[in-house]
Amino acid sequence: MSVRAAVMSAVDAPLETTGIDLPEPGPGQVRVRLAAAGVCHSDLSLTNGTMRLPVPAVLGHEGAGTVVSVGGGVTHVAPGDGVVLNWAPSCGACPACARGEVWLCADALSGAARVHAHRADDGTPLHPGLNVAAFAEETVVPASCVLPAPDGVPLTDAALLGCAVLTGYGAVHHCARVRPGESVAVFGAGGVGLAALQSARIAGATTIVAVDVSPAKEELARSAGATHYLVASDTTAREIRALTGKQGVDAAVECVGRATTVRTAWDSTRRGGRTAVVGIGGKDQQVTFNALEIFHWGRTLSGCVYGNSDPARDLPVLAGHIRAGRFDLGALVTERITLDGIPAAFDTMSAGKGGRALVVFQEP
């Protein structure tokens, strides 16, 4: 059966919307009809070579939809069920999983190599980028890559739970460990940053500073929970300290992935403060510290993969916040597009504009 998909033929090549062949699922596989897929910065990093993957490929890793059919041995979902795609399923057996650090699973991205159900019309295998290949009308994934969608959440909104929301929420709650009454700075007001701002508000932070290069994002950031908004500059760290009694914030969440931003986020925290680095930077992005300042400031700098989240644990918690009105998924979305609109969404993202662009296949 042929479905439409956005195919990446090579690094730095524009995605082309075309028909691909998608067979029925085999044992341990699930076929999903997508309702929506978010356009994430990680997808952009894959197109420009910051992160590498085999090509040709179908990208897209943040999505939700309806199960069409299942292969043998699949019992936790059935045709007609709404599901959220999980691009980093844990194997449960590697050392990281044994420690409970499922977000660091050594086997998380190997499932795609075992599936390869996606093929071009001429039979060429298409790599499912980050396991799930959500930039397509339908996809076939390992059963471990689907989780039941939360009740009461439209599937078009639930797509955002697959990456942006889990990452932003986890960065605040699991990595930066924000506590009630603390102060937080979030660097980058894109999809993940907006999720982090809402999560900081839910955590009970009283001073929440949003930082972005674009003055146009202030309204978005404040609606997500920011109490202050700063346009990024050489004086950002000084301005944040001025807002916090010259101390600096208790925690900073960096959602950009640039060396200068990581350094500024670290400089913006108080003595003993915590910085969670969510953004994915290139190998040429070098962050430097001297030995004396590391000792003197006593700060913590941590990498944050997928928000240090366990989707099976965190999705029900997030669903509770959404149903209670504490977390607004729709507030993250600034543009609803078709598959053909993904290249323009990448351009908008590269220019530092907007929040999350959402590819909508099925309206709720």
Side-chain angles (χ1 to χ4, degrees), residues 1 19-23 58 115-126:
M1 177 180 176
I20 67 170
D21 182 59
L22 200 63
V58 179
V115 177
H116 268 303
H118 307 73
R119 293 184 179 275
D121 283 344
D122 63 2
T124 302
L126 298 171

Side-chain angles (χ1 to χ4, degrees), residues 69-133:
S69 55
V70 301
V74 178
T75 58
H76 72 296
V77 294
D81 288 351
V83 293
V84 174
L85 298 180
N86 175 19
W87 64 269
S90 56
C91 70
C94 71
C97 288
R99 293 191 300 268
E101 297 173 342
V102 298
W103 54 92
L104 299 179
C105 175
D107 198 39
L109 293 178
S110 64
R114 294 192 295 266
V115 177
H116 268 303
H118 307 73
R119 293 184 179 275
D121 283 344
D122 63 2
T124 302
L126 298 171
H127 183 81
L130 295 182
N131 278 330
V132 299

Side-chain angles (χ1 to χ4, degrees), residues 276-295:
V277 179
V278 178
I280 301 173
K283 292 186 293 184
D284 59 333
Q285 294 284 315
Q286 300 293 316
V287 187
T288 59
F289 307 89
N290 66 59
L292 179 60
E293 67 179 325
I294 292 175
F295 162 78

Side-chain angles (χ1 to χ4, degrees), residues 208-250:
I208 304 174
V209 185
V211 182
D212 197 276
V213 295
S214 172
K217 290 190 181 181
E218 180 170 0
E219 184 178 349
L220 263 178
R222 288 189 179 274
S223 67
T227 59
H228 302 79
Y229 187 85
L230 299 176
V231 177
S233 70
D234 292 340
T235 63
T236 295
R238 190 183 314 154
E239 293 176 71
I240 289 175
R241 288 196 294 273
L243 293 171
T244 53
K246 300 183 179 179
Q247 297 299 303
V249 290
D250 296 295

